[in-house]
Amino acid sequence: MKWERFLKQISSHKLITVIVIVFAVLCSARLTELLMYNPDSADYVIMARGLINDFEYRQMYSPGEPYFTLRPPGMSLLLIPAALIAPYDVIMAKVIVLVTAVCMLILFYGLMCRLENSNSDLTLEQAKRIRWPQLLLTLMFATNPYILLYSTLMMSEVPFTACTLAVLFLIARDSETISKRQLFLLTCLLMFLPLLRTIGISLVMALGVWAITSRKRWPYLISVFCSVAVTGGWMLRNSAYQSVSYSSVLVNEFKKIGVLGMLVSMVNRILSHFEGLCQKFFPGMPGEYPEYERVVLNDNFVLPGHQIIYLLASLILISIAVYGMLKKWDRGGAVSFYYLLFTFMILAVWPWLQLRFTLPLLPVLLAFLPSGMVALGANAKPFAVLGKRVLAGGLILGCVLLGITQVGTDYRLVYANQKMISMGESFYETEYPGFNFCNFVAAGKWIEKNSEPTDRVMTRRTDTAISSHRFQQTTYLEKLDIEQLHQQIQSFSAKYLVCYNRNYVGAFKWYLLDSDPVYRLTPVYSQQGIMVIEVQPNYEGTVRHQFWREDESMEIARRAYEKNPDQLSCQIAYLEQLQAVQKYDESIKLIEKFQKKQIQDVRIACLLGWSYVGVKQYESALVEFKKASLMPNSKLHRSNIQRGYEYAQKQLKQLADPEKEDGESDPAKNLRIAENYWKLARYEHAMKFVQKVFDSQEATDQDRDTAYLLQARLYLLNSQPDQALAALKQISDSENEAAATLLTLIQQEQYFNEFFTGQSRSQEFENQKLDSAKRDSILKLAALYEAEGVPGKALRLLERAHALDPDQTEIRKQLAKYQLFYNLLTQAEENYLILQQEFPDDQEIQDSLAKIEQLKITPHF
């Protein structure tokens, strides 16, 4: 009998080994250097090496390397072996995550076996069987697409889940006493758990509540106290550096929305996280897009039926699991129940609403399902044996069907990854994949090879810093208008902008590649879904017609949507383009089509709200904006939601008060719109509204003068000075100062162009001297260029003047200022050092040299 039981155990071990090996192979097929979550993933990899080099947890890719306080350092500590073997290598770091995923599977299976072995009612016949329930659940868990996804990402979910299962495995014992070795292991795990994810404190609290209720379990409090001490030390460290932390974010959130708003938010968050947990039970459940949809192509599978069916089924499974916890109360059930409770309490007030936060709860609930089922079966009446068999058969059939769908999704995950690897660049040109297929690490490698160590990078993804080894600032370029973009470039002294390429039409304001009057934004790299844009001076101060065409974005968005009609990123990009061309009715119909498929996403809700605004259905718009504010990830779109809600309210009030009309005449409105387009660098649209002023019979002389002045500026931007002069001559007000200034600028520009051209033909060009009148005129023209918003022209003018007469101190001083403005550090430093010799006490020169020294500092990773 013992030999037969031993053989059954060996068979179970062989089967679990097969499951683990197959799982590891699937994960290996998904390993790439692409990271998904930003900025978490790249931070973990970079700061792991920082812990080795400097024993400090800092943002090594940011100037000044500020102390990092937002995410705890556990994941970076875990990646230290990978950082020692292959620093900043993404795949090696992912291998560490994969190893923890394998451990997680083994611990999951081991925990279920330990819970079964601790059952005092276990018969000898049951003990001899192969552990089919545990093996089946382990197989279901291993093939779950969420598990496959997070086991191949640089995120803390899987290591955190493995540590959680290890803690439960250690306490799921027949005896309440614990050996010193097990207590040591438990203490280490509990100390590490909150450092992996802050919410790990919920398991520490759960263990503390369980341990304190029995004197025999008091030794467990040692582990709890040590964990609390580590967490407290981490919090004290954060407060000492007075930086951003989770607690400060939570306090600010509470101040913004108040008590009532916080209560409503808590209820909404609990319901959202419950739905997110249900999605983990049934991957592909109708409703919101699953997280793994981001890394498959256009063949995402959705389970049949209505969402409510799966919500009820999930509730039944959770109830059975909780019942199993109650039956195994002293064998980890109590801790698991408290852990579940405390986790939802924390998530109810957590500042970020992301459905991935409930993933670690899935294996805990599944581990107690067999115990719950056995307990329910034991309490059933004898005549219900047939019913139990039917129920068991139904459950097995359901698991098989769900398992088939999960395996199908796993195949799609692996297939998309392998297709990307095998097709190379053609994959991005023909498949139009989602954002998460874009390789920011490859863009960083290009920057490292083709730029100076002092060059700085602005991008939305921290991934670039891993391979570029350049200082980097996280900036969502698609959200910035031209003025904000200029401010960001200036404050950070950025040399490169990195974003998704042209296939992702909403990733950047692409017209700025041609229309920016201050900078020449020139694409220098565009591969694997990424574009690197070099920031250079716009010496001409004009619009070029090279990289952008008005209808190109709509064409790309339409092609991508037709290729992948079920891909969320393609749907949103196409909807955004429909709104850009004001096709609001078509946008509404398309979103209604998505809603019939039970597609829910905060971005789609916002787009629907703005579409209703476009067709003046403001009440419907308010409903959509309210709905969007309660959806997951709404925090990332709060400003857009708030702006839409307030605008819809304002329009409703105006409709309610018909006597309150806009007092501006049509020409004045058109001028205001034209000026707004001018500020946004949408010059072609500005010209259209200027023409409307000329065509209007109601336009006054003042309106026309303003329109002519704006028209002249538009002509100048399009390299048409003669037409600009003609427009200025049409201005009726001879005392118009702005027109006189612009006229002076054009005339002086033409004069000096001829002057420098003539001087350059002279054989003694370098020996020419500028008299004081010409010098002052040059400095005045440079100031006019700057006032007109084209400092690149001032730089070119001063360069030509300096080349003609290098001894002019004022010319050199202004030249150095513009060189520093455009981040031309070598030239600016050379000129400032010469000026420093002449003016050693000039504070402005000293400050400029100090700034240059700061910009010359390079990251040491």
Side-chain angles (χ1 to χ4, degrees):
M1 298 293 290
K2 291 182 178 180
W3 177 251
E4 184 180 354
R5 181 178 179 182
F6 176 73
L7 289 177
K8 297 293 185 181
Q9 291 177 346
I10 293 296
S11 299
S12 297
H13 293 164
K14 287 181 178 179
L15 288 172
I16 192 62
T17 302
V18 171
I19 292 173
V20 169
I21 291 174
V22 172
F23 173 77
V25 170
L26 286 174
C27 290
S28 300
R30 274 196 37 79
L31 290 180
T32 64
E33 63 181 11
L34 276 64
L35 290 87
M36 182 173 173
Y37 279 95
N38 179 66
D40 308 39
S41 300
D43 281 346
Y44 294 140
V45 176
I46 294 173
M47 290 188 285
R49 188 65 191 182
L51 290 171
I52 297 171
N53 293 341
D54 306 310
F55 301 101
E56 290 183 320
Y57 194 52
R58 291 172 176 259
Q59 282 183 302
M60 298 167 59
Y61 55 83
S62 295
E65 298 186 359
Y67 287 96
F68 195 75
T69 59
L70 192 58
R71 283 182 298 279
M75 191 64 190
S76 293
L77 287 169
L78 189 67
L79 294 178
I80 284 179
L84 286 169
I85 299 170
Y88 314 114
D89 185 87
V90 177
I91 294 180
M92 180 59 69
K94 287 187 174 183
V95 168
I96 298 293
V97 177
L98 197 159
V99 171
T100 63
V102 170
C103 294
M104 175 186 68
L105 275 187
I106 296 172
L107 286 165
F108 175 65
Y109 175 74
L111 175 60
M112 289 189 292
C113 292
R114 175 165 282 193
L115 290 171
E116 182 187 47
N117 292 341
S118 65
N119 190 347
S120 58
D121 297 329
L122 189 66
T123 65
L124 184 61
E125 183 180 355
Q126 290 173 326
K128 292 189 296 182
R129 293 176 181 170
I130 297 177
R131 301 179 186 274
W132 292 116
Q134 288 77 15
L135 290 168
L136 180 61
L137 281 176
T138 305
L139 181 61
M140 294 294 296
F141 183 61
T143 57
N144 190 304
Y146 288 99
I147 301 303
L148 179 61
L149 172 66
Y150 282 97
S151 297
T152 54
L153 293 180
M154 273 312 310
M155 292 295 288
S156 61
E157 268 68 21
V158 166
F160 177 83
T161 304
C163 283
T164 301
L165 292 173
V167 169
L168 295 177
F169 180 81
L170 287 175
I171 64 175
R173 304 165 59 253
D174 290 319
S175 173
E176 290 186 343
T177 60
I178 186 171
S179 67
K180 292 181 180 179
R181 183 171 66 89
Q182 291 173 327
L183 182 61
F184 175 76
L185 290 174
L186 183 64
T187 302
C188 292
L189 287 169
L190 281 186
M191 291 170 64
F192 189 61
L193 200 65
L195 294 181
L196 271 175
R197 293 184 70 206
T198 306
I199 203 170
I201 197 67
S202 60
L203 184 59
V204 178
M205 293 165 56
L207 186 63
V209 171
W210 175 69
I212 204 170
T213 56
S214 172
R215 188 179 184 88
K216 292 181 180 179
R217 296 194 290 263
W218 282 6
Y220 289 100
L221 294 176
I222 297 173
S223 303
V224 174
F225 290 145
C226 289
S227 180
V228 171
V230 170
T231 305
W234 168 251
M235 295 176 67
L236 287 174
R237 179 256 191 195
N238 294 344
S239 61
Y241 294 123
Q242 298 181 349
S243 185
V244 178
S245 62
Y246 287 134
S247 57
S248 62
V249 174
L250 180 59
V251 170
N252 292 334
E253 186 84 3
F254 179 77
K255 290 179 180 179
K256 285 181 181 179
I257 62 178
V259 177
L260 182 60
M262 197 68 180
L263 291 174
V264 173
S265 175
M266 288 172 65
V267 174
N268 171 65
R269 288 171 188 272
I270 289 175
L271 293 175
S272 296
H273 282 300
F274 172 75
E275 182 180 339
L277 182 58
C278 296
Q279 290 172 359
K280 309 303 185 296
F281 274 109
F282 297 100
M285 183 181 79
E288 189 167 327
Y289 267 99
E291 293 164 77
Y292 53 79
E293 183 272 341
R294 307 172 185 180
V295 287
V296 298
L297 299 178
N298 190 52
D299 50 3
N300 183 48
F301 178 77
V302 179
L303 291 170
H306 196 275
Q307 185 184 35
I308 192 67
I309 299 173
Y310 301 98
L311 292 175
L312 290 175
S314 300
L315 186 60
I316 292 172
L317 292 176
I318 293 172
S319 300
I320 295 173
V322 169
Y323 186 65
M325 293 175 188
L326 297 177
K327 290 299 180 180
K328 302 291 183 180
W329 191 253
D330 293 329
R331 303 292 180 263
V335 175
S336 300
F337 178 78
Y338 293 142
Y339 169 56
L340 190 69
L341 185 64
F342 289 143
T343 296
F344 269 94
M345 290 173 60
I346 294 173
L347 290 178
V349 297
W350 205 245
W352 291 271
L353 180 57
Q354 296 186 21
L355 302 185
R356 63 186 174 89
F357 291 158
T358 55
L359 182 66
L361 298 177
L362 178 65
V364 176
L365 289 165
L366 291 177
F368 283 90
L369 268 180
S371 300
M373 294 296 295
V374 170
L376 285 173
N379 293 333
K381 295 181 179 180
F383 63 83
V385 172
L386 181 60
K388 288 192 290 185
R389 290 179 179 177
V390 172
L391 179 60
L395 289 173
I396 293 173
L397 178 62
C399 288
V400 170
L401 294 176
L402 181 61
I404 292 172
T405 65
Q406 290 187 165
V407 170
T409 302
D410 293 340
Y411 169 77
R412 286 187 281 272
L413 284 166
V414 173
Y415 172 76
N417 198 62
Q418 291 300 310
K419 193 171 186 178
M420 176 190 67
I421 295 171
S422 62
M423 291 182 64
E425 187 59 28
S426 62
F427 174 76
Y428 299 90
E429 296 172 355
T430 60
E431 297 298 320
Y432 298 100
F435 294 106
N436 289 287
F437 286 92
C438 300
N439 195 340
F440 281 84
V441 177
K445 291 178 180 177
W446 184 93
I447 290 173
E448 184 184 29
K449 292 178 181 178
N450 296 276
S451 67
E452 297 296 325
T454 55
D455 290 339
R456 299 184 174 189
V457 181
M458 278 172 42
T459 178
R460 65 174 292 136
R461 295 291 298 261
T462 316
D463 310 15
T464 311
I466 291 178
S467 51
S468 69
H469 300 278
R470 302 289 186 266
F471 279 134
Q472 179 173 301
Q473 177 175 287
T474 303
T475 306
Y476 292 88
L477 297 170
E478 71 276 12
K479 296 182 180 180
L480 304 180
D481 59 35
I482 187 170
E483 183 178 352
Q484 294 168 331
L485 180 64
H486 290 169
Q487 291 173 353
Q488 295 269 6
I489 291 174
Q490 278 301 302
S491 63
F492 189 62
S493 299
K495 178 67 172 178
Y496 293 98
L497 312 177
V498 182
C499 61
Y500 304 112
N501 71 9
R502 292 296 300 271
N503 281 347
Y504 305 92
V505 293
F508 189 71
K509 292 180 170 55
W510 298 110
Y511 63 87
L512 292 179
L513 295 178
D514 286 340
S515 299
D516 193 327
V518 177
Y519 297 103
R520 283 296 191 213
L521 304 178
T522 306
V524 291
Y525 172 91
S526 183
Q527 292 182 22
Q528 299 186 59
I530 301 299
M531 179 176 285
V532 178
I533 302 171
E534 186 176 10
V535 180
Q536 299 172 314
N538 185 346
Y539 288 108
E540 296 80 18
T542 58
V543 174
R544 62 182 173 185
H545 302 280
Q546 184 176 354
F547 294 105
W548 181 75
R549 182 165 47 85
E550 178 76 34
D551 55 353
E552 186 176 359
S553 292
M554 172 58 84
E555 293 173 6
I556 293 172
R558 181 180 289 110
R559 286 199 304 267
Y561 175 69
E562 290 172 352
K563 173 74 176 180
N564 303 307
D566 295 326
Q567 192 173 95
L568 182 61
S569 59
C570 295
Q571 293 170 350
I572 291 173
Y574 186 47
L575 288 170
E576 288 175 343
Q577 290 305 306
L578 288 175
Q579 288 211 338
V581 296
Q582 299 181 1
K583 294 184 178 181
Y584 302 117
D585 290 322
E586 187 176 344
S587 175
I588 292 171
K589 290 179 181 178
L590 191 58
I591 294 175
E592 289 175 349
K593 176 183 174 182
F594 297 156
Q595 289 177 336
K596 291 179 181 178
K597 298 180 180 180
Q598 303 183 47
I599 295 173
Q600 300 292 330
D601 185 87
V602 62
R603 291 165 292 179
I604 289 181
C606 288
L607 288 167
L608 181 56
W610 282 110
S611 296
Y612 280 132
V613 167
V615 296
K616 299 182 180 181
Q617 296 181 23
Y618 301 115
E619 291 183 355
S620 298
L622 288 174
V623 172
E624 293 303 321
F625 287 126
K626 286 181 181 178
K627 186 189 299 182
S629 67
L630 300 176
M631 297 177 73
N633 297 320
S634 60
K635 188 180 181 67
L636 299 175
H637 305 272
R638 175 180 291 171
S639 60
N640 185 32
I641 296 170
Q642 187 68 23
R643 184 165 55 89
Y645 189 84
E646 291 175 354
Y647 183 82
Q649 280 188 321
K650 178 182 176 181
Q651 295 302 314
L652 276 176
K653 289 180 181 178
Q654 289 186 356
L655 290 176
D657 187 6
E659 297 181 358
K660 185 178 180 181
E661 296 180 354
D662 193 346
E664 291 184 295
S665 63
D666 287 340
K669 285 182 181 180
N670 289 329
L671 279 174
R672 180 162 53 86
I673 294 171
E675 288 170 352
N676 287 335
Y677 276 126
W678 166 273
K679 293 176 183 178
L680 295 173
R682 298 305 303 264
Y683 303 122
E684 69 288 348
H685 293 302
M687 188 69 86
K688 292 177 183 178
F689 282 92
V690 166
Q691 187 61 45
K692 288 183 179 181
V693 177
F694 295 144
D695 296 339
S696 174
Q697 299 297 324
E698 300 177 4
T700 63
D701 289 341
Q702 185 178 359
D703 293 333
R704 293 182 181 277
D705 286 351
T706 304
Y708 279 122
L709 180 62
L710 189 54
Q711 186 184 50
R713 286 174 169 153
L714 289 167
Y715 279 134
L716 274 182
L717 282 167
N718 284 283
S719 304
Q720 297 173 316
D722 293 337
Q723 289 89 332
L725 286 172
L728 290 174
K729 291 179 181 179
Q730 298 294 324
I731 295 177
S732 59
D733 184 4
S734 59
E735 297 182 358
N736 190 309
E737 293 183 5
T741 301
L742 191 60
L743 180 62
T744 300
L745 183 150
I746 296 172
Q747 292 172 342
Q748 288 289 305
E749 180 179 81
Q750 291 177 338
Y751 169 77
F752 279 111
N753 282 338
E754 294 176 1
F755 172 75
F756 286 118
T757 301
Q759 293 296 326
S760 65
R761 293 172 182 168
S762 173
Q763 295 180 352
E764 300 179 353
F765 173 76
E766 296 183 357
N767 297 321
Q768 298 294 322
K769 297 293 182 182
L770 292 172
D771 57 37
S772 59
K774 284 190 174 62
R775 180 201 62 198
D776 292 343
S777 296
I778 288 171
L779 293 173
K780 180 181 178 181
L781 180 57
L784 289 175
Y785 280 145
E786 182 174 357
E788 196 62 25
V790 284
K793 277 190 171 184
L795 175 61
R796 174 57 58 85
L797 175 68
L798 293 167
E799 284 177 345
R800 299 172 77 179
H802 178 69
L804 181 65
D805 188 358
D807 296 330
Q808 289 287 347
T809 301
E810 286 300 316
I811 295 289
R812 185 188 296 275
K813 192 172 184 178
Q814 290 300 309
L815 175 61
K817 183 187 79 170
Y818 285 109
Q819 287 171 337
L820 183 56
F821 175 86
Y822 280 111
N823 206 33
L824 304 173
L825 299 184
T826 303
Q827 300 93 313
E829 184 179 33
E830 179 182 347
N831 284 318
Y832 274 122
L833 287 173
I834 294 173
L835 290 167
Q836 188 182 42
Q837 293 177 358
E838 298 184 37
F839 308 100
D841 298 326
D842 191 310
Q843 188 62 43
E844 182 181 349
I845 295 174
Q846 294 177 12
D847 292 342
S848 297
L849 285 170
K851 181 179 179 181
I852 291 172
E853 287 301 315
Q854 288 295 318
L855 293 175
K856 287 169 63 179
I857 296 174
T858 59
H860 67 281
F861 70 97

